[in-house]
Amino acid sequence: TTSVYTSGDSGWHNSIVIDSNDKAHIVFYRDDNSNLMYSTNKTGSWVTSSIETSNNVGKYCNLAIDSNDGLHVSYQYNSGNELRYAYKSASSSSWSTTTIDNTGGKFTSIALDSNDKPHIAYRDSGGDLGYAEKTGGSWSFSAVQSVGDTAFTSIAIDSNDDIHIAYYYANIKYMFHLTDPSGSWPRTTPEDIGSNTAV
């Protein structure tokens, strides 16, 4: 066991990836000053810095790494409940940040497809399952499942670049699976994992 960072009330909503040199990269939320933090041991010892320090930012952070060791983070700007995204290339020490959806952003999860294109699942402002993707330099987002009480999303991408999202529907306390096998989201009832209850 190694202590990564011990200042303040750290380690909330943490997410970890390993790069091509087997070095670790971690993002987390520091609750006492409400900032989004980043730690890595790529130099041989743990070094921690901040990604955003606007206070009250960084909950529900999730991290993905691309084929060039670039880092992609999804997270919430807590005060305005915004979905935000941060990126840092392997050769850079600075992060670029973008607001994707300025009315929703809880329970984020992020994954990259075979072209290193980021995809994000999250809870939107109405409580529905939101999905965002980046094409070129711009983001698009929409609600892909109208459930009204989405929580705890997880997103993965298979070898065909089909998107898979697991999410918890808090109102009835079940987990569901949704996918886009044809490249567009089906407007049907998602798969209920482990029960016969339908949304």
Side-chain angles (χ1 to χ4, degrees):
T1 301
T2 303
S3 293
V4 176
Y5 183 72
T6 58
S7 299
D9 189 3
S10 299
W12 293 60
H13 306 286
N14 64 79
S15 180
I16 187 171
V17 295
I18 305 299
D19 66 24
S20 60
N21 297 308
D22 290 334
K23 297 301 183 181
H25 303 261
I26 303 171
V27 294
F28 62 92
Y29 174 67
R30 180 173 166 177
D31 190 58
D32 62 309
N33 65 8
S34 303
N35 289 330
L36 178 62
M37 311 295 292
Y38 163 66
S39 295
T40 182
N41 65 350
K42 67 179 181 180
T43 62
S45 59
W46 288 102
V47 176
T48 300
S49 58
S50 57
I51 299 175
E52 270 215 67
T53 58
S54 54
N55 294 322
N56 211 18
V57 64
K59 284 183 178 179
Y60 312 109
C61 56
N62 196 237
L63 177 63
I65 191 166
D66 64 33
S67 60
N68 296 308
D69 286 341
L71 300 175
H72 305 251
V73 186
S74 60
Y75 58 101
Q76 181 199 34
Y77 178 59
N78 315 333
S79 293
N81 190 30
E82 297 176 355
L83 173 64
R84 287 194 178 181
Y85 163 80
Y87 169 75
K88 185 183 80 66
S89 69
S91 60
S92 177
S93 60
S94 62
W95 295 83
S96 61
T97 62
T98 304
T99 296
I100 300 171
D101 182 350
N102 60 14
T103 62
K106 291 183 177 181
F107 306 113
T108 83
S109 57
I110 188 170
L112 307 176
D113 64 23
S114 61
N115 296 308
D116 289 333
K117 173 180 168 181
H119 304 256
I120 299 172
Y122 65 104
R123 173 187 169 121
D124 73 7
S125 59
D128 295 331
L129 177 63
Y131 164 75
E133 64 176 323
K134 188 179 183 183
T135 303
S138 62
W139 285 89
S140 61
F141 62 91
S142 63
V144 294
Q145 198 68 47
S146 299
V147 293
D149 202 2
T150 300
F152 309 115
T153 72
S154 182
I155 190 170
I157 302 175
D158 65 27
S159 58
N160 295 315
D161 279 342
D162 292 332
I163 313 299
H164 298 261
I165 299 175
Y167 67 94
Y168 179 64
Y169 182 22
N171 188 42
I172 61 172
K173 300 180 180 179
Y174 282 109
M175 183 171 69
F176 290 88
H177 167 254
L178 186 68
T179 189
D180 72 333
S182 62
S184 61
W185 295 97
R187 296 296 179 182
T188 57
T189 301
E191 180 184 4
D192 183 358
I193 302 172
S195 80
N196 293 320
T197 303
V199 174

